[in-house]
Amino acid sequence: MPVLLFLIDTSASMNQRTHLGTTYLDIAKGAVETFMKLRGRDPASRGDRYMLINFEDVPLGIKAGWKESHATFMTELRNLQAAGLTTIGQSLRTAFDLLNLNRLVSGIDNYGQGRNPFFLEPSIIVAITDGNKLTSSGGVQDELHLPLTTPLPGSELTKEPFRWDQRLFSLVLRIPGHATVEPEPLGGVPPDDSAITPMCEVTGGRSYSVFSQRMLNQCLESLLQKIQSGVVINFEKTGPDPPPGEDETLKPGPQSWHCCHKLIYVRPNPKTGVPIGHWPIPEGFWPDTNSPTLPPRSAHPHVRFSCLDSEPMVIDKVPFDKYELEASPLTQYILERKSPHSCWQVFVSNSAKYSDLGQPFGYLKASTALNCVNLFVMPYNYPVVLPLLDDLIRVHKFKPTIKWRQSFENYLKTMPLYYIGSLRKALRIMGAPNLLADNMEYGLSYSVVSYLKKLSQQTKIEYERLIASVAKKVVAEGGIKVRDRGGDISLAQRRDFTQLLASITGETAALPLELNSKEFSGFQLAPLNKSLKPQGFRNAYDIPRMHLLDQLSRMRRNLLSTTCLLRGQDTDQLHSVPIAQMGNYQDFLKALPQPLRDADPEQPKRLHTFGNPFKLDKKGMMIDEADEFVTGPQNKGKRPGSDSNMHGVGGGGPKRRRCMSPLLRPGRAYSPPVSPAASPFRPPLAGETLTHTSSVPLLSVHLYSEAVFGNLYNPETCETGTTVQPGEILSGPLLDGTETGGVVEEQCPARYPSPAELKKVMNSESLEVNTELRALITKEIRKPGRHYEKIFYFLKQIQGSFDTRLIFLQNIIKEAARFKKRVLIEQLENFLEEIHNRANNMNHLDGF
């Protein structure tokens, strides 16, 4: 996961304008936004982490760190202002400390245990500045100096403030204030000659001198190509040069390929996205188990290569690591030799016990296609150990002899102890996990291990402290210091010296005492806080002179007003809210006084939601039996034919959609409608109290009647002179033959439909019922198993004519044939034959 840290110059010189009409700070902000848009096109940018630092002191200078979101980053970027000094050295140290804050906790650096290229956190620092003089409170500096003191624990273990996976790139803005006719330099963007350029080159980066907007876009495209997962290594030649080739002449003196400071690419695993490796690069010292401290290491390891041709060694089942080198004069020279079958061994000085150069831990080799140069990292002193492991596999068949064990033990004495862990893993991969004893030490003393654990705890505390301070954004209370100008004036130079002398001798009255300026040496004048909203009703000095009369009338209106306002606000301020803060409802609630407790705590609380304060909690409402409320998860991830999505079938949860068919309601059987009575209602008998005789609520009856009969009621056909009055109880038969009562809402009763209309309604109802039955039967057919009782239960409830039922049953047989339900097909065919036999014996059908 790459870390992209932007260091923006916010000194006062960034306010200078270019010929484009924008300031340098505006160009810097636009460059960051453009870079993020271009980077967002790459799918690998999903794991990027963005940070933002300016030239202010810590923690104010850290605008976006480890915990800030992308929205916070963009907000802080737009709010940057150019006011201050060019303290780029202190800001760079802050950037490196922020990146190194969590390395001791995660164990990436692995101090004293070798350098693992696959343990990395690639970071790119992009500094955007104007390249002017470096200014600070101590004066103007010609060179860039980073502070040596830092609050980061464990910083003494590395000589430099940066690490080998952190690179610095600088965009130095040189856009002129007036448009020039001079052509832009050809051949790419040149490096700048400012003080930050040497720092960029030391970390493995570079600087760009930007003279136009087009060059700035070109630099951003180049920076996108620099976002690579890798570490920087110093390669240096040792020994004589290789013999020249046929067409090559030997050049005297040092060459550019003799010493290179370049990157090796550490490719992540395509499956896991994390780099995987086996062997470390050795340390520059021999580990001593009795040493109480660790010597500091350099940020970039110094790897020496010998130009003597050697034979590459690779053995099956013995793992090795392969890293591609960044293009450099060294890679160009190796590729020009066209020797893909030979290699150059690499060493780290002082890594062995009795050798200054050390033993080889790998080699440089050109690829077979001669398109790149790779660094192969092998076990330490691989020319000795690889033949031993080859004999173990091929000759001894993983059954070592005494002589082989003696040779292997002699090798272990020349190997640094921190290779034990890597060698044990390699032997486990080979199939010989018991060659190394489990109690072998790793080369660190007890004091060093305790010190590293202590540093890890201190770093974690410092990490949490810095994260908390960045989140709080405590603004330092700065002010204007009052300087004492009269402290150096002698008493003899005062105009009233004669009177002062007379008052001391007692000849005249004593002069009044003057204030001692030394007592107020630390006195400061508070600056104007622009972010503080003026409060004219509290502080008279916040009222402009031209608004005094308006403020008086406003204060008079507030005094005589009886409106209950918030504490600390007047009427105008109560309704004068910026648009960006109008939706900040939570802060408004926090400013309200604490409400009193409820008089009845047992009463369910009202669900108070912003935007709709009258929205009630549905869990506490009474619900009609047909619309059963569903609580809990609805199993949205299951397929539509699952058992859990069926209401009343399969034992699953209830269904949210209302079932409109009366025959599918549990506990209620469907019966055909009965002919309506001659009278739409009957008068109540003497002493009889009309009540509801049906368990269906009145509202349900009304909705059901309206759904069945539609708009058959016509007020124009009502008979006049009827004795039915509004509010009387209406009693009449329903379609299922039961009596029910209802309140008459009209002045004339509704008439019953004619037989043709009733037949039309019933046909449409039968079609809806059959459609739902077919859906339920299809779901049962798709289920595994041979439980077909529910299918025949649904088939007995099919409505319609004889032909309709036969067509329905034939379609069900076709559906069963689709899923190859042979047993079900046989039962359905028997069921169909039974229907034909009954049809021949009966003249009419009243059900299955």
Side-chain angles (χ1 to χ4, degrees), residues 181-248:
V181 295
E182 297 180 1
E184 297 180 358
L186 301 177
V189 182
D192 196 76
D193 57 353
S194 58
I196 197 175
T197 300
M199 190 66 187
C200 296
E201 296 175 352
V202 167
T203 61
R206 60 157 297 184
S207 64
Y208 300 89
S209 186
V210 182
F211 292 95
S212 64
Q213 184 67 36
R214 187 191 65 82
M215 294 182 67
L216 179 60
N217 297 334
Q218 186 177 355
C219 295
L220 296 179
E221 294 285 351
S222 176
L223 284 177
L224 290 176
Q225 306 299 326
K226 301 295 183 181
I227 304 178
Q228 298 287 344
S229 177
V231 293
V232 179
I233 295 180
N234 286 322
F235 291 96
E236 186 176 352
K237 182 186 74 69
T238 181
D241 290 350
E246 298 179 356
D247 300 335
E248 184 182 2

Coordinates of all heavy atoms in Angstrom, one line a residue, residues 181-248:
V181 N 9.0 34.7 -24.5 CA 9.0 34.1 -25.8 C 10.1 33.1 -26.0 O 10.3 32.5 -27.0 CB 9.1 35.3 -26.9 CG1 7.9 36.2 -26.9 CG2 10.4 36.1 -26.7
E182 N 10.9 32.9 -24.9 CA 12.0 32.0 -25.0 C 11.4 30.6 -25.1 O 10.4 30.2 -24.3 CB 12.9 32.1 -23.8 CG 13.6 33.5 -23.7 CD 14.4 33.5 -22.4 OE1 14.5 32.5 -21.7 OE2 15.1 34.6 -22.2
P183 N 12.0 29.7 -25.9 CA 11.5 28.3 -26.0 C 11.8 27.5 -24.7 O 12.8 27.8 -24.1 CB 12.2 27.8 -27.2 CG 13.5 28.6 -27.3 CD 13.1 30.0 -26.8
E184 N 10.9 26.6 -24.5 CA 11.2 25.7 -23.3 C 12.3 24.7 -23.6 O 12.6 24.4 -24.8 CB 9.9 24.9 -23.0 CG 8.8 25.8 -22.6 CD 7.5 25.1 -22.3 OE1 7.6 23.8 -22.4 OE2 6.5 25.7 -21.9
P185 N 13.0 24.3 -22.6 CA 14.1 23.4 -22.8 C 13.6 22.0 -23.3 O 12.6 21.5 -22.9 CB 14.8 23.2 -21.4 CG 13.7 23.6 -20.5 CD 12.9 24.7 -21.2
L186 N 14.4 21.5 -24.3 CA 14.0 20.2 -24.9 C 14.7 19.1 -24.2 O 15.6 19.2 -23.4 CB 14.4 20.2 -26.4 CG 13.8 21.3 -27.3 CD1 14.4 21.3 -28.7 CD2 12.3 21.3 -27.3
G187 N 14.1 17.9 -24.4 CA 14.7 16.7 -23.8 C 14.3 16.4 -22.4 O 15.1 15.8 -21.6
G188 N 13.1 16.7 -22.1 CA 12.6 16.4 -20.7 C 12.7 17.6 -19.8 O 13.3 18.7 -20.1
V189 N 12.3 17.4 -18.6 CA 12.3 18.5 -17.6 C 13.7 18.4 -16.9 O 14.1 17.4 -16.3 CB 11.2 18.3 -16.6 CG1 11.2 19.4 -15.5 CG2 9.8 18.3 -17.3
P190 N 14.4 19.5 -16.8 CA 15.7 19.5 -16.2 C 15.6 19.5 -14.7 O 14.6 20.0 -14.1 CB 16.4 20.8 -16.7 CG 15.2 21.7 -17.0 CD 14.1 20.8 -17.4
P191 N 16.6 19.1 -14.0 CA 16.6 19.2 -12.5 C 16.9 20.6 -12.1 O 17.4 21.4 -12.8 CB 17.8 18.2 -12.1 CG 18.7 18.2 -13.3 CD 17.8 18.3 -14.5
D192 N 16.5 20.9 -10.9 CA 16.6 22.3 -10.4 C 17.9 22.4 -9.6 O 18.5 21.4 -9.1 CB 15.4 22.7 -9.5 CG 15.3 24.2 -9.3 OD1 14.9 24.9 -10.2 OD2 15.7 24.6 -8.2
D193 N 18.4 23.6 -9.4 CA 19.6 23.9 -8.7 C 19.4 24.4 -7.3 O 20.2 25.1 -6.7 CB 20.5 24.8 -9.5 CG 19.8 26.1 -9.8 OD1 18.6 26.3 -9.5 OD2 20.5 27.1 -10.3
S194 N 18.2 24.2 -6.8 CA 17.9 24.7 -5.4 C 18.5 23.8 -4.4 O 19.1 22.8 -4.6 CB 16.3 24.8 -5.3 OG 15.7 23.5 -5.4
A195 N 18.3 24.2 -3.1 CA 18.9 23.5 -2.0 C 18.3 22.2 -1.7 O 18.9 21.3 -1.1 CB 18.8 24.4 -0.7
I196 N 17.1 21.9 -2.2 CA 16.4 20.6 -2.0 C 16.8 19.5 -2.9 O 16.6 18.3 -2.7 CB 14.9 20.8 -2.0 CG1 14.1 19.7 -1.4 CG2 14.4 21.0 -3.5 CD1 12.7 19.8 -1.3
T197 N 17.5 19.9 -4.0 CA 17.9 18.9 -5.0 C 18.9 17.8 -4.4 O 18.7 16.6 -4.7 CB 18.5 19.6 -6.2 OG1 17.6 20.5 -6.8 CG2 19.0 18.6 -7.3
P198 N 19.9 18.2 -3.7 CA 20.8 17.1 -3.1 C 20.0 16.2 -2.2 O 20.3 15.0 -2.2 CB 21.9 17.9 -2.4 CG 21.9 19.3 -3.0 CD 20.5 19.5 -3.4
M199 N 19.1 16.7 -1.5 CA 18.3 15.8 -0.6 C 17.5 14.8 -1.4 O 17.3 13.6 -1.1 CB 17.4 16.6 0.3 CG 16.7 15.8 1.4 SD 17.9 15.2 2.6 CE 16.9 14.2 3.6
C200 N 16.9 15.2 -2.6 CA 16.2 14.4 -3.4 C 17.1 13.3 -4.0 O 16.7 12.1 -4.0 CB 15.5 15.1 -4.6 SG 14.3 16.4 -4.1
E201 N 18.3 13.6 -4.4 CA 19.2 12.6 -5.0 C 19.7 11.6 -4.0 O 19.9 10.4 -4.3 CB 20.4 13.3 -5.6 CG 20.0 14.2 -6.8 CD 21.1 15.0 -7.4 OE1 22.2 14.9 -6.7 OE2 21.0 15.6 -8.4
V202 N 19.8 12.0 -2.7 CA 20.3 11.1 -1.7 C 19.2 10.0 -1.4 O 19.6 8.9 -1.2 CB 20.6 11.9 -0.4 CG1 20.8 11.0 0.8 CG2 21.9 12.7 -0.6
T203 N 18.0 10.4 -1.4 CA 16.9 9.4 -1.1 C 16.6 8.6 -2.3 O 15.7 7.6 -2.2 CB 15.6 10.2 -0.7 OG1 15.2 11.1 -1.7 CG2 15.9 11.0 0.6
G204 N 17.1 8.8 -3.5 CA 16.8 8.1 -4.7 C 15.8 8.7 -5.6 O 15.3 8.1 -6.6
G205 N 15.4 10.0 -5.3 CA 14.5 10.7 -6.1 C 15.2 11.7 -7.0 O 16.4 11.7 -7.2
R206 N 14.5 12.8 -7.4 CA 15.0 13.8 -8.2 C 14.2 15.1 -8.0 O 13.1 15.0 -7.5 CB 15.1 13.4 -9.6 CG 13.8 13.1 -10.3 CD 13.9 13.2 -11.8 NE 14.1 14.6 -12.2 CZ 14.1 15.0 -13.5 NH1 14.0 14.1 -14.4 NH2 14.3 16.3 -13.8
S207 N 14.6 16.2 -8.6 CA 13.9 17.4 -8.6 C 13.5 17.8 -10.0 O 14.2 17.4 -11.0 CB 14.7 18.6 -7.9 OG 15.9 18.8 -8.7
Y208 N 12.5 18.6 -10.2 CA 12.0 19.1 -11.5 C 11.9 20.6 -11.4 O 11.3 21.2 -10.5 CB 10.6 18.5 -11.8 CG 10.5 17.0 -11.9 CD1 10.3 16.2 -10.7 CD2 10.7 16.3 -13.1 CE1 10.2 14.9 -10.8 CE2 10.7 14.9 -13.2 CZ 10.4 14.2 -12.0 OH 10.3 12.9 -12.1
S209 N 12.5 21.2 -12.4 CA 12.4 22.7 -12.6 C 11.3 23.0 -13.6 O 11.4 22.7 -14.8 CB 13.8 23.2 -13.1 OG 13.7 24.6 -13.1
V210 N 10.2 23.5 -13.0 CA 9.0 23.7 -13.8 C 8.9 25.2 -14.3 O 8.9 26.1 -13.4 CB 7.7 23.4 -13.0 CG1 6.5 23.6 -13.8 CG2 7.8 22.0 -12.4
F211 N 8.8 25.4 -15.6 CA 8.8 26.7 -16.2 C 7.4 27.0 -16.8 O 7.2 28.2 -17.2 CB 9.9 26.9 -17.2 CG 11.2 26.9 -16.7 CD1 12.0 25.7 -16.7 CD2 11.8 28.0 -16.2 CE1 13.3 25.7 -16.1 CE2 13.1 28.0 -15.6 CZ 13.8 26.9 -15.6
S212 N 6.5 26.1 -16.9 CA 5.2 26.3 -17.5 C 4.2 25.3 -17.0 O 4.6 24.3 -16.4 CB 5.3 26.3 -19.1 OG 5.7 25.0 -19.5
Q213 N 3.0 25.5 -17.3 CA 1.9 24.6 -17.0 C 2.1 23.3 -17.7 O 1.8 22.2 -17.2 CB 0.6 25.2 -17.2 CG -0.6 24.4 -16.8 CD -0.7 24.2 -15.3 OE1 -0.4 25.1 -14.5 NE2 -1.1 23.0 -14.8
R214 N 2.5 23.4 -19.0 CA 2.7 22.1 -19.7 C 3.8 21.3 -19.1 O 3.7 20.0 -19.0 CB 3.1 22.5 -21.2 CG 3.2 21.3 -22.1 CD 3.8 21.7 -23.4 NE 5.2 22.0 -23.3 CZ 6.2 21.2 -23.2 NH1 5.9 19.9 -23.3 NH2 7.4 21.6 -23.1
M215 N 4.9 21.9 -18.7 CA 6.0 21.2 -18.0 C 5.5 20.6 -16.7 O 5.9 19.5 -16.3 CB 7.2 22.1 -17.8 CG 7.9 22.5 -19.1 SD 9.3 23.5 -18.7 CE 10.4 22.3 -18.0
L216 N 4.6 21.3 -16.0 CA 4.1 20.8 -14.8 C 3.3 19.5 -15.0 O 3.4 18.5 -14.3 CB 3.2 21.8 -14.1 CG 2.5 21.4 -12.8 CD1 3.6 21.1 -11.7 CD2 1.6 22.6 -12.2
N217 N 2.4 19.5 -16.0 CA 1.7 18.3 -16.4 C 2.6 17.1 -16.8 O 2.4 16.0 -16.4 CB 0.7 18.6 -17.5 CG -0.4 19.6 -17.1 OD1 -0.7 19.7 -15.9 ND2 -0.9 20.3 -18.1
Q218 N 3.7 17.5 -17.5 CA 4.7 16.5 -17.8 C 5.4 15.9 -16.6 O 5.6 14.7 -16.5 CB 5.7 17.1 -18.8 CG 6.7 16.1 -19.3 CD 7.7 16.7 -20.3 OE1 7.5 17.9 -20.6 NE2 8.7 16.0 -20.8
C219 N 5.6 16.7 -15.6 CA 6.2 16.2 -14.3 C 5.3 15.3 -13.6 O 5.7 14.3 -13.0 CB 6.6 17.4 -13.5 SG 7.9 18.4 -14.2
L220 N 4.0 15.7 -13.6 CA 3.0 14.8 -12.9 C 2.9 13.4 -13.5 O 2.8 12.4 -12.8 CB 1.7 15.5 -12.9 CG 1.6 16.8 -12.1 CD1 0.2 17.4 -12.2 CD2 2.0 16.6 -10.6
E221 N 3.0 13.4 -14.9 CA 3.0 12.1 -15.6 C 4.2 11.3 -15.2 O 4.2 10.1 -15.0 CB 2.9 12.3 -17.1 CG 1.6 12.9 -17.6 CD 0.5 11.9 -17.5 OE1 0.7 10.7 -17.3 OE2 -0.7 12.3 -17.8
S222 N 5.4 12.0 -15.1 CA 6.6 11.3 -14.7 C 6.5 10.8 -13.3 O 7.0 9.7 -13.0 CB 7.8 12.2 -14.8 OG 9.0 11.6 -14.4
L223 N 5.9 11.5 -12.4 CA 5.8 11.1 -11.0 C 4.9 9.9 -10.9 O 5.1 9.0 -10.0 CB 5.2 12.2 -10.1 CG 6.2 13.3 -9.7 CD1 5.5 14.4 -9.0 CD2 7.4 12.8 -8.9
L224 N 3.9 9.8 -11.7 CA 3.0 8.6 -11.7 C 3.8 7.3 -12.0 O 3.6 6.2 -11.4 CB 1.9 8.7 -12.7 CG 0.8 9.8 -12.3 CD1 -0.2 9.9 -13.5 CD2 0.1 9.4 -11.1
Q225 N 4.8 7.4 -12.9 CA 5.7 6.3 -13.2 C 6.6 5.9 -12.1 O 7.2 4.8 -12.1 CB 6.4 6.6 -14.5 CG 5.6 7.0 -15.7 CD 4.6 5.9 -16.1 OE1 4.8 4.7 -16.0 NE2 3.4 6.3 -16.5
K226 N 6.9 6.9 -11.2 CA 7.8 6.6 -10.1 C 7.2 5.9 -8.9 O 7.9 5.4 -8.0 CB 8.4 8.0 -9.6 CG 9.1 8.8 -10.6 CD 10.3 8.1 -11.1 CE 11.1 9.0 -12.1 NZ 12.3 8.3 -12.6
I227 N 5.9 5.7 -8.9 CA 5.2 5.0 -7.8 C 5.4 3.5 -8.1 O 4.6 2.9 -8.7 CB 3.7 5.4 -7.8 CG1 3.5 6.9 -7.6 CG2 3.1 4.7 -6.6 CD1 2.1 7.3 -7.6
Q228 N 6.5 3.0 -7.5 CA 6.9 1.6 -7.7 C 7.1 1.0 -6.3 O 7.6 1.7 -5.4 CB 8.1 1.4 -8.6 CG 7.9 1.9 -10.0 CD 7.0 1.0 -10.8 OE1 6.7 -0.1 -10.5 NE2 6.5 1.6 -11.9
S229 N 6.9 -0.3 -6.2 CA 7.2 -1.0 -4.9 C 8.6 -1.4 -5.0 O 9.0 -2.3 -5.8 CB 6.3 -2.1 -4.7 OG 6.6 -2.9 -3.6
G230 N 9.5 -0.9 -4.2 CA 10.9 -1.2 -4.2 C 11.7 -0.5 -3.2 O 11.2 0.3 -2.4
V231 N 13.0 -0.8 -3.1 CA 13.9 -0.3 -2.1 C 15.2 0.2 -2.9 O 15.5 -0.3 -3.9 CB 14.3 -1.3 -1.0 CG1 13.1 -1.6 -0.2 CG2 14.9 -2.5 -1.6
V232 N 15.9 1.2 -2.3 CA 17.0 1.8 -2.9 C 18.3 1.2 -2.3 O 18.4 1.0 -1.1 CB 17.0 3.3 -2.7 CG1 18.3 4.0 -3.3 CG2 15.8 4.0 -3.3
I233 N 19.2 0.8 -3.2 CA 20.5 0.2 -2.8 C 21.6 0.9 -3.5 O 21.5 1.3 -4.7 CB 20.5 -1.3 -3.2 CG1 19.4 -2.1 -2.4 CG2 21.8 -2.0 -2.9 CD1 19.3 -3.6 -2.7
N234 N 22.8 1.0 -2.8 CA 24.0 1.6 -3.3 C 24.8 0.4 -3.9 O 25.3 -0.4 -3.1 CB 24.8 2.4 -2.3 CG 24.2 3.7 -1.9 OD1 23.7 4.4 -2.8 ND2 24.2 4.1 -0.7
F235 N 25.0 0.4 -5.2 CA 25.9 -0.6 -5.8 C 27.3 0.0 -6.1 O 27.3 1.1 -6.7 CB 25.3 -1.1 -7.1 CG 24.0 -1.9 -6.9 CD1 22.8 -1.4 -7.0 CD2 24.1 -3.3 -6.6 CE1 21.6 -2.1 -6.8 CE2 23.0 -4.1 -6.4 CZ 21.8 -3.5 -6.5
E236 N 28.3 -0.6 -5.7 CA 29.7 -0.1 -5.8 C 30.6 -1.2 -6.3 O 30.5 -2.4 -5.7 CB 30.2 0.5 -4.5 CG 31.5 1.2 -4.7 CD 31.9 1.9 -3.4 OE1 31.1 1.9 -2.4 OE2 33.1 2.3 -3.3
K237 N 31.4 -1.0 -7.3 CA 32.3 -2.0 -7.8 C 33.5 -2.2 -6.9 O 34.0 -1.3 -6.2 CB 32.8 -1.5 -9.2 CG 33.7 -2.6 -9.9 CD 34.3 -2.0 -11.1 CE 35.4 -1.0 -10.8 NZ 36.6 -1.6 -10.2
T238 N 33.9 -3.5 -6.8 CA 35.1 -3.8 -6.0 C 36.0 -4.7 -6.9 O 35.5 -5.5 -7.7 CB 34.7 -4.6 -4.7 OG1 35.9 -4.9 -4.0 CG2 34.0 -5.8 -5.0
G239 N 37.3 -4.5 -6.8 CA 38.2 -5.3 -7.7 C 38.4 -4.7 -9.0 O 37.9 -3.6 -9.3
P240 N 39.1 -5.4 -9.9 CA 39.4 -4.8 -11.2 C 38.2 -4.8 -12.2 O 37.2 -5.6 -11.9 CB 40.5 -5.8 -11.8 CG 40.2 -7.1 -11.1 CD 39.7 -6.7 -9.7
D241 N 38.3 -4.1 -13.2 CA 37.2 -4.0 -14.2 C 37.3 -5.3 -15.1 O 38.3 -6.0 -15.1 CB 37.4 -2.8 -15.2 CG 37.1 -1.5 -14.5 OD1 36.5 -1.6 -13.3 OD2 37.4 -0.5 -15.0
P242 N 36.2 -5.7 -15.7 CA 36.2 -6.9 -16.5 C 37.0 -6.6 -17.8 O 37.2 -5.5 -18.2 CB 34.7 -7.1 -16.9 CG 34.1 -5.8 -16.8 CD 34.8 -5.1 -15.6
P243 N 37.5 -7.7 -18.4 CA 38.3 -7.5 -19.6 C 37.4 -6.9 -20.7 O 36.3 -7.3 -20.8 CB 38.8 -8.9 -19.9 CG 37.9 -9.8 -19.2 CD 37.4 -9.1 -18.0
P244 N 37.9 -6.0 -21.5 CA 37.1 -5.4 -22.6 C 36.8 -6.4 -23.7 O 37.5 -7.4 -23.9 CB 38.0 -4.3 -23.1 CG 39.4 -4.7 -22.8 CD 39.3 -5.5 -21.5
G245 N 35.7 -6.2 -24.3 CA 35.2 -7.1 -25.4 C 36.0 -6.8 -26.7 O 37.0 -6.0 -26.7
E246 N 35.5 -7.4 -27.7 CA 36.1 -7.3 -29.0 C 36.0 -5.9 -29.5 O 37.0 -5.3 -30.0 CB 35.5 -8.3 -30.0 CG 35.7 -9.7 -29.6 CD 35.0 -10.7 -30.6 OE1 34.4 -10.1 -31.6 OE2 35.1 -11.9 -30.4
D247 N 34.9 -5.3 -29.5 CA 34.6 -3.9 -30.0 C 34.7 -2.8 -28.9 O 34.2 -1.7 -29.1 CB 33.3 -3.8 -30.7 CG 33.2 -4.8 -31.9 OD1 34.2 -5.2 -32.4 OD2 32.0 -5.2 -32.2
E248 N 35.3 -3.2 -27.8 CA 35.2 -2.2 -26.6 C 36.7 -1.8 -26.3 O 37.6 -2.7 -26.3 CB 34.6 -2.9 -25.4 CG 34.4 -2.0 -24.2 CD 33.8 -2.7 -23.0 OE1 33.5 -3.9 -23.2 OE2 33.6 -2.0 -22.0

